């Protein structure tokens, strides 16, 4: 496999370097503006917290046109200013283009392959557009692997109450209810993992699927939980990164994320069918408070989208959802905007019936997930209206209640989920 | 005298008898072929239904939207059953034609010959129609969902237009394949489309300028720009 995805030059460089204890992977595509800061943070983190370990930073680039690899090569760290001294090993750096389907997953595959080549014991991957990353992040992502034998470290961020609404409304509660582990940011983007798990990821036959394109984060998290690797979380503070494409289509985003979660439900049906309830995952790091920028939100517009969806997409919903749910959604749509509310029970039932419809191929899967957009906006509007004057703690409690509803209604999903051969993803 | 009786009475009677026997054997052959067709057709229907059910053909049709299209035609039966019925019908029809052919009359033979020449066109037309219906349904739903997600007030109208457009193309192609009013249909289609475009241009440019503007405003103009732009980060 290594012959296929690693260039000879890279293999030669790796063999010259010799074995490595820690590997930090940074996937990139046109991130020249931010990647220098990320590389410096990684270098500082590795020198400060792991001075006796042999470390390597790998930039797996998707063919950037803005000189991202040059920035990586040229970024230098002022160790004097950071009061770093007495390091046994210098931190090596390597930039390589990845091969395969364009996407973050293919970039990760190259990182896993390099980790396997150099025999890394612990790895961390971080996004290249981060602005709030600090050297401590690497300690928090790598230490649980090196010192506590965890296999997978998921991030735990402090986020604004309206930040990460797909995560809050679907991905976190659904993953938690399905697989029984409470990982608050399953698609966070920054992860730590053991060399053993990297080899496991690498051996899976998923690199020509959507995992290679966009589904890598949720795939890694789900694989780690469903296949019983030791998982934990590390508190990283606030996550501030370059705004993704501002015109990014919400329905495309939903298709990618929710479609990946639904698809993994098929793969791991044997892992979740017998799970009831959930267990907390250990949390490392000091949960300090951070200042979060307020996020403006337009509730009437979202309610209008929901109302239009319930009206115009009714024939589609009638194919996907049970008549009771369709009529309940219509009742919700009839509410005045000022008192608009989409009850948690209704929302969770909608998600479960969507998962079942996805499983049964009721309609084209892309159509199916895209048709969820107005309903999702309805949930966001309802959530935003209810939490308008609530503190972060109260919002957390509200999300916790939503998670409990997901867990309580899981039997509904289990009884309707058809038994069949799980597919490799 | 004997010759007279033989030539005027017996020979015609013998000829009539031979013809009657030949016709009766042809008729019998036709009846046998039809009954055989009915039997084989029934057997084939059962086999096709069961095989398709085993192959989960109904689920595939549900996914592709074929079931819904069939339902819209008023047939509330699974697709495997419908496919079985089609196979049965085709076998019976073939048997019927073979039976007619067995009559050996120029008229039936001509009919059968023309029918078999027409069959490929009929099948091609059927395929065009079915594919057209499926594509129109798929495209209509794509447009509907995309338009709703883009908050366009005229989502359903756009979706219906997309479906009608594709179905019109499919029907025109079907009729063309069947050779029904080929020239007339193409000319009508061209006139209709040309007329629509011209009418639209005139409406924009001349008399109905205001009406066209109001209509477009009401149908396609997005709502007033919101005071607050969302900056939600969904992931």
């Amino acid at each position: 496999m290594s012959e296929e995805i690693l260039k000879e030059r890279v293999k030669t460089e790796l063999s010259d370097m010799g074995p490595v204890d820690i590997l930090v992977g940074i996937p990139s595509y046109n991130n020249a503006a931010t990647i220098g800061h990320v590389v410096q943070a990684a270098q500082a983190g590795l020198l400060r917290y792991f001075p006796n370990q042999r470390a390597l930073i790998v930039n797996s680039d998707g063919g950037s046109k803005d000189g991202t690899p040059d920035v990586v090569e040229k970024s230098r760290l002022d160790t004097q200013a950071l009061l770093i001294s007495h390091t046994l090993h210098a931190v090596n750096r390597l930039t390589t283009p990845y091969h395969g389907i364009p996407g973050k997953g293919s970039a990760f595959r190259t990182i896993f392959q390099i980790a396997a080549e150099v025999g890394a014991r612990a790895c961390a991957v971080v996004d290249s557009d981060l602005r709030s990353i600090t050297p401590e992040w690497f300690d928090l992502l790598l230490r649980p692997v090196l010192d506590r034998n965890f296999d997978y470290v998921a991030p735990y961020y402090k986020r604004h109450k309206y930040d990460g609404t797909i995560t809050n409304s679907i991905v976190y509660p659904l993953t938690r209810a399905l697989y029984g582990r409470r990982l608050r940011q399953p698609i966070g983007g920054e992860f730590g993992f053991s060399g053993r798990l990297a080899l496991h990821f690498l051996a899976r036959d998923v690199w020509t699927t959507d995992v290679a394109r966009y589904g890598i984060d949720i795939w890694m998290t789900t694989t780690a939980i469903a296949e019983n690797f030791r998982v934990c979380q590390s508190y990283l503070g606030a996550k501030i990164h370059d705004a993704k494409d501002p015109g990014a289509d919400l329905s495309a985003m939903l298709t990618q994320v929710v479609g990946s979660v639904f698809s993994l439900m098929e793969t791991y049906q044997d892992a979740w069918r017998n799970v009831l309830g959930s267990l907390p995952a250990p949390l490392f790091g000091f949960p300090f408070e951070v200042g979060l920028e307020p996020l403006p939100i337009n509730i009437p517009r979202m309610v209008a989208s929901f109302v239009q969806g319930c009206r115009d997409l009714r024939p589609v919903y009638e194919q996907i959802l049970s008549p009771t749910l369709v009529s309940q959604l219509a009742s919700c749509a009839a509410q005045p905007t000022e008192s608009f509310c989409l009850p948690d029970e209704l929302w969770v039932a909608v998600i479960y019936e969507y998962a079942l419809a996805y499983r049964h191929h009721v309609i084209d899967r892309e159509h199916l997930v895209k048709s969820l957009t107005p309903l999702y906006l309805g949930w966001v509007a309802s959530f935003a209206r209810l939490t308008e004057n609530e503190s972060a703690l109260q919002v957390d409690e509200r999300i916790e209640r939503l998670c409990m509803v997901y867990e309580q209604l899981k039997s509904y999903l289990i009884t309707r989920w058809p038994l069949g051969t799980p597919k490799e993803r | 005298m004997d010759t007279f009786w033989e030539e005027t009475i017996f020979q015609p009677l013998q000829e009539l008898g031979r013809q009657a026997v030949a016709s009766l054997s042809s008729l019998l052959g036709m009846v046998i072929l039809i009954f055989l067709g009915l039997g084989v057709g029934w057997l084939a229907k059962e086999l096709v239904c069961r095989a398709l059910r085993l192959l989960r053909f109904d689920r595939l049709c549900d996914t592709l939207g074929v079931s819904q299209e069939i339902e819209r035609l008023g047939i509330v039966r699974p697709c495997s059953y419908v496919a079985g019925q089609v196979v049965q019908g085709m076998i019976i029809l073939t048997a019927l034609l073979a039976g007619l052919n067995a009559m050996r009359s120029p008229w039936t033979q001509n009919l059968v010959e023309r029918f078999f020449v027409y069959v490929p066109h009929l099948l091609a037309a059927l395929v065009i129609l079915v594919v057209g219906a499926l594509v129109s349904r798929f495209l209509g739903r794509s447009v509907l969902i995309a338009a709703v997600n883009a908050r366009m007030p005229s989502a359903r109208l756009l979706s219906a237009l997309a479906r009608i457009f594709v179905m019109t193309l499919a029907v025109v192609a079907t009729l063309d394949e069947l050779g029904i009013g080929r020239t007339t249909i193409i000319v009508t289609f061209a006139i209709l489309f040309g007329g629509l475009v011209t009418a639209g241009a005139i409406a924009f440019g001349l008399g109905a300028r205001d009406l066209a503007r109001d209509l477009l405003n009401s149908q396609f103009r997005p709502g007033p720009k919101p005071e607050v732009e969302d900056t939600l980060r969904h992931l």
Side-chain angles (χ1 to χ4, degrees):
Chain A
M1 193 177 282
S2 61
E3 291 78 23
E4 288 169 24
I5 62 169
L6 291 186
K7 283 188 171 179
E8 275 307 312
R9 172 189 67 84
V10 175
K11 291 177 88 174
T12 312
E13 274 188 59
L14 291 175
S15 88
D16 290 347
M17 270 176 221
V20 164
D21 301 307
I22 295 172
L23 182 140
V24 171
I26 309 172
S28 66
Y29 181 67
N30 288 341
N31 300 109
T34 49
I35 198 165
H37 170 69
V38 176
V39 171
Q40 285 177 2
Q43 210 175 351
L46 293 169
L47 290 172
R48 176 177 290 168
Y49 297 105
F50 305 99
N52 302 325
Q53 313 273 8
R54 289 159 300 188
L56 168 67
I57 297 172
V58 175
N59 167 224
S60 180
D61 188 69
S64 298
K65 305 278 190 294
D66 65 347
T68 299
D70 296 337
V71 176
V72 174
E73 290 293 326
K74 287 173 188 163
S75 85
R76 291 281 171 269
L77 186 70
D78 185 355
T79 48
Q80 297 280 332
L82 291 167
L83 305 172
I84 294 169
S85 55
H86 307 300
T87 54
L88 273 179
H89 306 282
V91 174
N92 287 307
R93 258 180 295 177
L94 176 72
T95 295
T96 175
Y98 64 75
H99 297 275
I101 298 169
K104 189 176 173 182
S106 295
F108 273 35
R109 185 192 184 193
T110 300
I111 292 166
F112 299 150
Q113 182 63 54
I114 292 173
E117 288 277 325
V118 298
R121 288 165 52 218
C123 311
V125 282
V126 292
D127 282 344
S128 48
D129 62 348
L130 288 165
R131 293 195 180 274
S132 60
I133 191 167
T134 64
E136 287 70 35
W137 284 29
F138 295 92
D139 184 39
L140 289 159
L141 291 172
L142 293 163
R143 187 75 62 191
V145 177
L146 289 168
D147 292 358
R148 300 289 184 91
N149 290 324
F150 280 97
D151 284 302
Y152 192 70
V153 188
Y156 191 108
Y157 310 113
K158 204 62 149 181
R159 303 179 80 167
H160 187 271
K161 57 187 174 186
Y162 303 148
D163 192 6
T165 36
I166 293 180
T167 302
N168 290 345
S169 62
I170 305 171
V171 184
Y172 165 55
L174 183 56
T175 309
R176 166 177 158 169
L178 288 174
Y179 306 102
R181 294 313 296 262
R182 298 176 197 166
L183 288 184
R184 186 65 183 82
Q185 300 292 337
I187 50 173
E190 283 68 55
F191 302 103
F193 47 89
S194 62
R196 181 172 85 102
L197 187 53
L199 286 174
H200 184 80
F201 287 150
L202 191 62
R204 300 298 300 274
D205 183 21
V206 294
W207 307 109
T208 52
T209 68
D210 288 342
V211 169
R213 292 186 187 89
Y214 46 72
I216 186 75
D217 293 346
I218 189 63
W219 177 79
M220 283 167 61
T221 303
T222 308
T223 303
I225 305 173
E227 301 197 14
N228 296 317
F229 285 92
R230 294 190 70 214
V231 299
C232 67
Q233 309 174 90
S234 278
Y235 182 81
L236 303 179
K239 178 176 180 173
I240 302 165
H241 55 101
D242 263 10
K244 297 268 191 296
D245 177 9
D249 181 13
L250 169 62
S251 60
M253 216 185 285
L254 267 176
T255 308
Q256 293 179 4
V257 177
V258 180
S260 298
V261 177
F262 286 168
S263 183
L264 284 161
M265 284 174 74
E266 292 181 318
T267 310
Y268 287 115
Q269 57 182 1
D270 291 338
W272 62 261
R273 284 183 69 94
N274 298 320
V275 175
L276 286 176
S278 64
L279 293 169
L283 176 64
F284 297 105
F286 182 71
F288 53 93
E289 281 299 323
V290 289
L292 297 167
E293 283 181 28
L295 292 174
I297 187 166
N298 189 326
I299 296 175
R301 189 163 71 159
M302 286 193 242
V303 174
S305 294
F306 174 80
V307 172
Q308 188 189 357
C310 288
R311 186 189 63 222
D312 292 346
L313 293 181
R314 192 174 175 120
V316 179
Y317 293 150
E318 280 170 350
Q319 286 181 269
I320 299 168
L321 304 170
S322 61
T324 319
L325 288 193
V326 175
S327 111
Q328 285 178 355
L329 287 170
S331 304
C332 281
Q335 296 171 99
T337 307
E338 313 79 59
S339 55
F340 179 78
C341 175
L342 188 67
D344 285 347
E345 288 74 13
L346 176 56
W347 172 244
V348 175
V350 164
I351 295 298
Y352 281 160
E353 290 203 357
Y354 257 82
L356 289 164
Y358 187 93
R359 176 75 178 91
H360 288 296
H361 289 265
V362 168
I363 59 169
D364 173 73
R365 286 181 160 180
E366 195 175 324
H367 285 175
L368 182 121
V369 186
K370 280 188 172 173
S371 73
L372 183 63
T373 311
L375 305 182
Y376 161 74
L377 287 173
W379 181 87
V380 178
S382 169
F383 176 77
R385 203 189 63 74
L386 293 169
T387 58
E388 214 160 7
N389 301 312
E390 288 189 353
S391 66
L393 191 67
Q394 287 170 311
V395 171
D396 282 348
E397 284 168 2
R398 193 171 283 281
I399 292 170
E400 179 62 26
R401 279 203 296 278
L402 176 68
C403 292
M404 292 311 293
V405 177
Y406 267 94
E407 290 182 17
Q408 282 154 14
L409 293 186
K410 189 181 169 186
S411 52
Y412 174 85
L413 176 72
I414 293 171
T415 51
R416 282 161 183 78
W417 189 270
L419 287 166
T421 316
K423 62 171 186 162
E424 177 68 27
R425 189 166 183 263
Chain B
M1 196 64 181
D2 284 351
T3 316
F4 169 78
W5 278 105
E6 198 173 316
E7 280 180 2
T8 53
I9 306 294
F10 294 124
Q11 272 184 3
L13 278 175
Q14 276 174 347
E15 187 62 28
L16 186 70
R18 269 198 300 274
Q19 280 181 3
V21 168
S23 296
L24 271 175
S25 68
S26 297
L27 202 68
L28 193 67
M30 187 179 86
V31 171
I32 290 170
L33 278 170
I34 290 171
F35 273 104
L36 203 67
L38 287 170
V40 172
W42 178 84
L43 199 69
K45 183 193 81 174
E46 290 296 316
L47 283 172
V48 167
C49 281
R50 283 172 197 203
L52 290 180
R53 254 180 261 144
L54 276 174
L55 293 168
R56 297 181 179 184
F57 180 68
D58 293 327
R59 185 185 284 184
L60 178 74
C61 289
D62 285 348
T63 310
L64 293 173
V66 181
S67 309
Q68 292 88 333
E69 288 300 324
I70 288 174
E71 226 173 280
R72 281 177 59 196
L73 296 171
I75 305 166
V76 194
R77 292 287 198 153
C79 286
S80 53
Y81 178 85
V82 175
Q85 288 283 349
V86 169
V87 169
Q88 186 185 23
M90 283 172 74
I91 289 173
I92 291 172
L93 187 68
T94 310
L96 193 68
L97 290 165
L100 284 173
N101 204 29
M103 294 296 286
R104 292 202 183 86
S105 90
W107 182 81
T108 54
Q109 283 182 337
N110 186 31
L111 182 78
V112 170
E113 204 171 279
R114 285 178 65 181
F115 178 80
F116 280 111
V117 168
Y118 204 59
V119 161
H121 295 284
L122 205 66
L123 289 176
L126 192 72
V127 169
I128 292 170
L129 206 61
V130 170
V131 170
L134 292 177
V135 171
S136 84
R137 185 186 173 81
F138 185 86
L139 201 71
R141 198 166 56 205
S142 296
V143 170
L144 179 67
I145 293 171
V148 168
N149 288 344
R151 300 177 59 241
M152 294 178 81
S154 52
R156 278 187 293 186
L157 175 70
L158 286 173
S159 166
L161 285 175
R163 290 187 70 151
I164 290 168
F165 180 72
V166 175
M167 264 328 280
T168 310
L169 284 179
V171 168
V172 168
T174 304
L175 292 175
D176 183 56
E177 184 61 38
L178 292 174
I180 299 170
R182 188 169 282 170
T183 321
T184 320
I185 286 166
I186 292 171
V187 169
T188 312
F189 190 65
I191 290 172
L192 262 174
F193 265 77
L196 277 174
V197 172
T198 314
I202 292 169
F204 276 115
L206 299 167
R209 187 173 51 190
D210 293 340
L211 179 68
R213 188 181 58 205
D214 293 346
L215 185 72
L216 287 172
N217 275 345
S218 65
Q219 288 298 315
F220 297 107
R221 197 183 213 173
K225 200 173 166 63
E227 288 167 13
V228 181
E229 282 291 344
D230 292 331
T231 52
L232 281 177
R233 290 189 289 262
H234 299 275
L235 297 178

